[in-house]
Amino acid sequence: MQVATPRMSIQPAVHSEARFPNAFEDLMRDGYVILPEAISSLKSRLICAEVAPHLAATPKCVGDFYGWKTTRVGGLLNKAPSTQDLVLHPDVLAITRAALQPSCDCIQLNLTQAIRVHPQERAQAPHRDEEMWPHEPKLRPWLINVMWPLTAFTKENGATRLWPGSHTDVLDRSIDPARSIPAEMQPGDALVFLGALTHGAGENRSNAPRDGIIVSYCLGWLKQYENQFLAYPPAVARSFPTPLQRLIGYQMHRPNLGGWEGQDPIQALATNPHTLCPHVDALTPDIARQLKAHYGEDA
Ligand SMILES: O=C(O)CCC(=O)C(=O)O
Ligand SMILES: [Fe+2]
């Protein structure tokens, strides 16, 4: 039996996605939304070409979650630099912030991962990506996933399978496959879905690989799935645009979380970072006011 999990109503913090005006509402209602032609097919081909050698050189995965006839490659932002445009996609970021920012000071990148589902790979077990944080109930979204197809996604070749509306139920690993739908898409489209939506890669019954890139974002106070500071240590991250440096985690999450030597961790990207620095508060305006009031000072 499925027990409905109470979820608080969600007020969008940012809601300016001009090209996809209903996307946020669709996402929150159904648990997913497809953004058609979110990037050009040219850009998608470029990303595909950059990722291809890495997918070809990487051994197949090991495990019943990752799949045995599946290849995955992480840390794409420097291996395939055009993926930076996926991560910084303005419409996706607007939708993601609207969904996550009510529950955090700033969002962060959770992972980038290319996924090749090879012919004869079985359907991945139904799951939720929010399972990695074992805390229930989650009253609001903790994670937003974006699947960017690099090849056409079809019912036959393993398009991601989604159980629409399942984000409001508890996870049921034996959920009826007949109630799922394949996210059929073309390169350039983007599938945005909630981390609480039950889903899985489909079975690949075709004779060609199905390739896609997952980009996911999570609340800024969570442990990221992919260790971004190993994927992009300062020597690598230094060349990234500042908004990307911030998203991967070189940022403070107020109050005072994620600093380095008491400073904004973006200082670590300076050519000669200082380490003898004072710890400097990074407080939310609310907490700053409360502390002033506590000490009897004017706000
Ligand atoms: O490749 C896909 O379609 C989805 C993969 C997935 O959901 C996962 O690995 O978490
Ligand atoms: Fe997943």
Side-chain angles (χ1 to χ4, degrees):
M1 192 183 75
Q2 295 205 339
V3 181
T5 305
R7 301 185 78 85
M8 288 165 67
S9 71
I10 288 144
Q11 295 301 317
V14 188
H15 200 184
S16 62
E17 61 278 19
R19 276 193 66 204
F20 306 103
N22 302 320
F24 176 77
E25 284 73 19
D26 293 352
L27 173 68
M28 300 315 297
R29 185 189 60 239
D30 302 331
Y32 76 98
V33 63
I34 291 178
L35 312 181
E37 297 178 14
I39 58 165
S40 70
S41 55
L42 185 68
K43 171 73 68 174
S44 183
R45 281 203 297 277
L46 180 63
I47 294 171
C48 193
E50 289 178 357
V51 167
H54 299 282
L55 277 169
T58 305
K60 290 199 178 82
C61 305
V62 175
D64 285 338
F65 178 79
Y66 284 142
W68 300 90
K69 292 183 180 133
T70 296
T71 306
R72 295 174 189 251
V73 177
L76 299 178
L77 293 173
N78 54 336
K79 293 178 184 159
S82 300
T83 59
Q84 296 182 14
D85 293 346
L86 303 183
V87 172
L88 293 172
H89 192 283
D91 300 299
V92 166
L93 283 179
I95 296 166
T96 300
R97 289 204 165 100
L100 299 182
Q101 210 122 304
S103 309
C104 60
D105 183 46
C106 51
I107 61 164
Q108 61 183 346
L109 185 66
N110 185 56
L111 64 83
T112 59
Q113 191 178 95
I115 304 182
R116 169 167 289 173
V117 178
H118 295 268
Q120 290 158 34
E121 175 63 290
R122 63 189 175 182
Q124 191 183 27
H127 66 277
R128 294 172 174 184
D129 290 350
E130 283 185 3
E131 283 181 63
M132 68 186 119
W133 300 296
H135 173 83
E136 296 293 346
K138 298 183 179 73
L139 300 180
R140 290 175 167 171
W142 285 25
L143 173 86
I144 298 294
N145 260 316
V146 189
M147 172 60 94
W148 296 91
L150 298 179
T151 59
F153 271 32
T154 67
K155 199 161 94 174
E156 289 72 36
N157 78 357
T160 311
R161 298 208 72 93
L162 310 170
W163 278 264
S166 57
H167 58 294
T168 59
D169 299 330
V170 291
L171 173 64
D172 174 6
R173 198 83 68 195
S174 54
I175 193 166
D176 184 0
R179 282 175 47 208
S180 71
I181 57 159
E184 297 200 295
M185 298 186 279
Q186 295 299 318
D189 300 344
L191 162 69
V192 184
F193 61 106
L194 299 178
L197 188 78
T198 303
H199 69 281
E203 177 185 1
N204 189 347
R205 296 189 302 268
S206 79
N207 52 19
R210 186 231 70 177
D211 294 347
I213 288 179
I214 285 267
V215 174
S216 63
Y217 311 84
C218 64
L219 302 179
W221 45 264
L222 284 169
K223 184 178 174 79
Q224 293 149 302
Y225 164 96
E226 179 179 54
N227 189 316
Q228 299 295 311
F229 303 104
L230 291 177
Y232 316 113
V236 174
R238 197 168 286 143
S239 64
F240 291 172
T242 307
L244 191 63
Q245 295 171 339
R246 293 288 188 199
L247 263 181
I248 63 183
Y250 291 93
Q251 67 186 343
M252 272 300 202
H253 185 284
R254 298 175 300 174
N256 290 341
L257 181 64
W260 178 66
E261 294 291 347
Q263 301 275 319
D264 181 339
I266 204 137
Q267 309 292 346
L269 303 183
T271 327
N272 291 307
H274 297 293
T275 50
L276 288 176
C277 303
H279 276 54
V280 177
D281 270 335
L283 304 177
T284 59
D286 264 5
I287 294 178
R289 260 192 306 276
Q290 288 164 18
L291 295 191
K292 288 236 175 291
H294 175 81
Y295 291 114
E297 295 164 11
D298 291 338

